[in-house]
Amino acid sequence: MTQNTNTAALSAAGVSVWLDDLSRERIKSGNLRGLIDSRNVVGVTTNPTIFQGALSKGHDYDAQVRELAARGADVDSAIRTITTDDVRAACDILAEVYQESGGVDGRVSIEVDPRLAFDEDGTVAQAVELWKIVDRPNLFIKIPATEAGLPAITRVIAEGISVNVTLIFSVERHRAVMGAYLDGLLNAKTAGHDVAKIHSVASFFVSRVDTEIDKRLEAIGTPEALALRGKAGIANARLAYAAYQDVFDGGAHTSIYARLSSSGANKQRPLWASTGVKNPDYPDTMYVTELVAPNTVNTLPEKTLEAVADHAEITGDTITGTAAAAQEVFDALTAVGIDLTNVFQVLEEEGVQKFVQSWEELLIATTEQLQVAGGN
C-alpha cells in the first residue's frame, strides 16, 4: 500500500506520526494496520477518555466481559484485563516498526489510573504492574507530569521501564520532566540496566493552551488582546522545543545527557499532544504544520490525521530558530494581563480531572456490563 504524500513528508521531516486512539474494533478490522501502511503511523497513544469511548460503543468487548463476569472479576481487574489486552495486541501489530526503528517508534502507550496522579508510590507500583502485564518491549507507561508524578517518573525509569510523560503544559514543567528522566537514567545505569533500551517522550499539550488563553483574551477584549488569539499554543510548544535542544541537542545544559549518551542513552523526544483543533475558525492542521522539527512526535486523532493526509502543506522544519518570536508572543500575553502561571495550573488540574471523570464513567459502565453478563 502506498503511503500518503503529506504524511510521508511529515515523516521525512523527522516527525513520528502516532495515532491518538485505540479500540478493539480498530485492531480486529485491520484499520490500525492500514494506517501504518498508508498514513505513516508508527505509534499509538491511549488515555482514559479513549478507553471509555471504546468500551462504551459497539459489542467488541461483550464476549470478554461475559467471560470476566463468569470468573467473578471485579471492575478494576476487568478494566485492567481489557485495556492491557488491547494495548498488547497493538504492540504486536507495531512490533515490526519497533524493530526497524531501533526501538524509537512502534510504541503503544497505556496510562496509569488517573486517580493516582497525586500518589507517587501508587503510580510507581501500577507502572511496574502494567509493564509486567503487557509484557512487550515497545510499551510506554504514561505518567502525568504532576508534582507527585515527577519523582515517580524518575523511579519508574530507574526500573528500566520506558515512560511517556503526559499532561505537560508549561516549559518550566517540561524542564522538570527532562530532569526527572535524566535522574532516572542515572539511577538505571547505577542499577545495571542497559540505558540504551530505555526510551521516553514528553507529551506537551497544545490546543488546550489556546482554548484557555483565548477565553481569557476575549474576556479582556482589547484589540491587543484579541490579536493574540490562536498564537499561545504554538508559541508554547516552540519554546518547549528550544528547551529540549538546550538539554539534549547541544545546548548549554547538555552536560548530563552528554555523559549518558556514551552509554547509549536516548534523548527524551518532545511529543505534541492535543493537536486536534478545538476552534473551527482555525486551520484544522495548524498544530501539525506549525510544529514540524526533527526528533519530535505528533500524536493525532484520526480526524486530524485524515485532514493532514488530505490538504496539509508540509514545508519542512517550522520550529527551529523560532524561540525568540515565540517568547515575544508570551511577553505580549503577559503585557495584556494573562497570568500564564495560573493558566498552566488550571490546565493541569482540569486535565487530571477530565481523565478521572472518564475513568469513573468507565468504571460505572463496566460495572453495569459485568452485572448484566453475570445475570445480576
Side-chain angles (χ1 to χ4, degrees):
M1 192 178 293
T2 304
Q3 294 284 10
N4 174 268
T5 302
N6 293 341
T7 57
L10 198 58
S11 179
V15 180
S16 293
V17 178
W18 290 7
L19 177 70
D20 190 28
D21 192 52
L22 185 64
S23 66
R24 192 153 300 175
E25 188 278 332
R26 195 181 286 283
I27 292 167
K28 289 167 59 179
S29 68
N31 173 270
L32 177 57
R33 179 75 256 175
L35 292 175
I36 294 168
D37 293 338
S38 67
R39 295 291 186 264
N40 295 88
V41 168
V42 292
V44 171
T45 49
T46 68
N47 60 46
T49 302
I50 286 170
F51 278 130
Q52 191 274 332
L55 269 73
S56 65
K57 297 173 185 173
H59 301 282
D60 291 295
Y61 299 93
D62 290 358
Q64 187 170 25
V65 170
R66 286 194 296 271
E67 178 190 340
L68 290 164
R71 265 198 261 156
D74 62 41
V75 64
D76 287 296
S77 63
I79 290 172
R80 185 164 56 248
T81 299
I82 291 167
T83 57
T84 55
D85 281 359
D86 277 3
V87 167
R88 187 183 304 108
C91 282
D92 290 343
I93 292 170
L94 282 154
E96 185 178 348
V97 174
Y98 171 75
Q99 295 293 338
E100 290 177 350
S101 67
V104 174
D105 284 313
R107 296 279 176 172
V108 184
S109 297
I110 187 169
E111 190 155 347
V112 297
D113 186 329
R115 295 172 297 178
L116 299 172
F118 305 104
D119 179 350
E120 177 190 339
D121 290 340
T123 293
V124 174
Q126 190 171 97
V128 172
E129 179 186 32
L130 289 170
W131 182 259
K132 290 177 179 177
I133 291 172
V134 176
D135 192 27
R136 293 295 185 272
N138 51 332
L139 178 69
F140 265 141
I141 303 297
K142 289 180 79 172
I143 298 174
T146 58
E147 289 188 7
L150 294 173
I153 292 158
T154 296
R155 289 169 59 186
V156 173
I157 291 287
E159 295 287 337
I161 296 171
S162 295
V163 173
N164 175 343
V165 185
T166 189
L167 286 178
I168 306 172
F169 294 99
S170 71
V171 175
E172 179 184 15
R173 186 58 57 87
H174 180 214
R175 284 191 175 274
V177 165
M178 291 187 285
Y181 170 63
L182 290 170
D183 288 345
L185 287 181
L186 289 166
N187 294 341
K189 184 179 179 183
T190 300
H193 292 289
D194 182 357
V195 295
K197 294 182 178 179
I198 303 171
H199 288 257
S200 184
V201 291
S203 293
F204 204 85
F205 280 54
V206 187
S207 67
R208 293 190 194 182
V209 173
D210 274 335
T211 299
E212 179 64 26
I213 289 180
D214 282 3
K215 178 176 66 176
R216 299 185 185 207
L217 291 170
E218 288 166 3
I220 294 168
T222 64
E224 293 81 7
L226 296 177
L228 292 167
R229 287 177 296 181
K231 295 183 177 180
I234 289 168
N236 198 33
R238 287 174 170 175
L239 290 171
Y241 189 77
Y244 153 79
Q245 290 180 304
D246 181 46
V247 174
F248 290 106
D249 204 15
H253 295 90
T254 57
S255 58
I256 296 175
Y257 174 69
R259 293 200 302 272
L260 286 162
S261 64
S262 61
S263 299
N266 299 287
K267 299 174 181 179
Q268 186 185 54
R269 293 188 293 168
L271 179 152
W272 313 130
S274 184
T275 54
V277 173
K278 306 288 194 296
N279 187 333
D281 294 334
Y282 298 156
D284 56 2
T285 62
M286 65 183 278
Y287 298 124
V288 181
T289 59
E290 298 302 315
L291 294 176
V292 177
N295 215 32
T296 59
V297 180
N298 198 310
T299 179
L300 299 86
E302 188 170 19
K303 181 179 178 182
T304 305
L305 177 63
E306 291 306 315
V308 169
D310 180 65
H311 54 261
E313 295 182 12
I314 309 300
T315 58
D317 190 339
T318 53
I319 297 181
T320 304
T322 62
Q327 186 58 53
E328 288 178 3
V329 171
F330 266 48
D331 292 343
L333 288 167
T334 301
V336 299
I338 298 297
D339 182 345
L340 292 166
T341 300
N342 178 258
V343 166
F344 298 136
Q345 180 181 350
V346 166
L347 286 170
E348 179 181 298
E349 291 172 356
E350 286 184 350
V352 171
Q353 186 53 44
K354 285 177 182 176
F355 283 168
V356 168
Q357 181 178 343
S358 293
W359 197 257
E360 289 175 346
E361 290 172 359
L362 179 58
L363 287 168
I364 292 168
T366 307
T367 298
E368 292 173 352
Q369 290 176 34
L370 287 168
Q371 290 172 345
V372 170
N376 296 324

